[in-house]
Amino acid sequence: MLDALGRVLAPMSRALDNMVGRAVIRLVQAGGYTQQLQAELSAGETKNDLDLLEPYGFTAQPLPGAIAVCLFVGGERENGAAILAHDQGRRPRTLAPGDVALYTDQDDPAASADDAPHRITLGRDRSVILRGKRFSFKCGDQEMILDEAEGFIVRASRVQVIKTDGGGP
């Protein structure tokens, strides 16, 4: 009886095992509507043209070597998508509990928010730390630039300086 039950459940068990997998990203094609990954799953299984599904309003191009979580509809390995890419070697490791950061591969993962050259850190203490060599703010034809080498630049048809007494603008 147990043998018969095992034979009946075996295909369902294999399908469930095939529904979720971890993969190492080998190649990223980012030029289309959806990024396409070539990834290596367990046991050397390579999948081409996996869609990398991203949250609305956010995109990032993972580098080869990053880890992806892949889902396969119905356990069919021909119908897969990656839902998450993570690069444990590049993830900042100096955040305080509750902090959030956007970062690039050019950051030192062990650098503090003050020392990371390409990081935006939103601190739980209500601090915002932006690090970069050049910041450009545009509003229509007006532009304000803060550049490490060039200093502060304003391209505007009119500049106003309004002094307040601390009670607001």
Side-chain angles (χ1 to χ4, degrees):
M1 170 123 169
L2 288 177
D3 268 353
L5 183 60
R7 283 192 302 273
V8 169
L9 294 178
M12 288 186 283
S13 176
R14 275 191 303 278
L16 286 173
D17 284 345
N18 284 333
M19 288 178 79
V20 179
R22 250 175 102 139
V24 177
I25 296 171
R26 297 295 180 214
L27 181 68
V28 179
Q29 294 178 355
Y33 290 111
T34 302
Q35 293 187 76
Q36 299 291 301
L37 305 180
Q38 179 189 67
E40 185 178 328
L41 285 95
S42 59
E45 179 186 4
T46 299
K47 286 291 168 198
N48 295 308
D49 301 326
L50 286 171
D51 288 336
L52 175 56
L53 305 179
E54 300 170 301
Y56 177 80
F58 181 80
T59 188
Q61 184 174 340
L63 295 171
I67 304 297
V69 174
C70 300
L71 299 179
F72 298 93
V73 178
E76 300 284 332
R77 293 291 208 177
E78 304 308 313
N79 189 10
I83 59 165
L84 180 66
H86 170 69
D87 196 326
Q88 56 199 15
R90 291 182 173 91
R91 186 188 67 78
R93 296 186 291 274
T94 58
L95 300 177
D99 285 1
V100 176
L102 296 175
Y103 59 96
T104 72
D105 66 309
Q106 295 179 3
D107 281 342
D108 175 359
S112 70
D114 288 331
D115 295 327
H118 297 91
R119 190 182 300 171
I120 299 172
T121 303
L122 304 175
R124 191 164 178 246
D125 63 357
R126 303 175 97 187
S127 64
V128 177
I129 300 171
L130 306 171
R131 295 285 300 182
K133 290 184 177 204
R134 182 178 178 94
F135 295 99
S136 177
F137 305 91
K138 295 182 180 182
C139 181
D141 293 336
Q142 319 301 311
E143 183 175 19
M144 194 169 58
I145 300 169
L146 185 56
D147 186 278
E148 182 178 65
E150 297 179 43
F152 185 61
I153 303 163
V154 176
R155 293 186 182 119
S157 57
R158 189 175 79 187
V159 176
Q160 292 183 44
V161 177
I162 301 172
K163 184 176 179 181
T164 66
D165 60 2

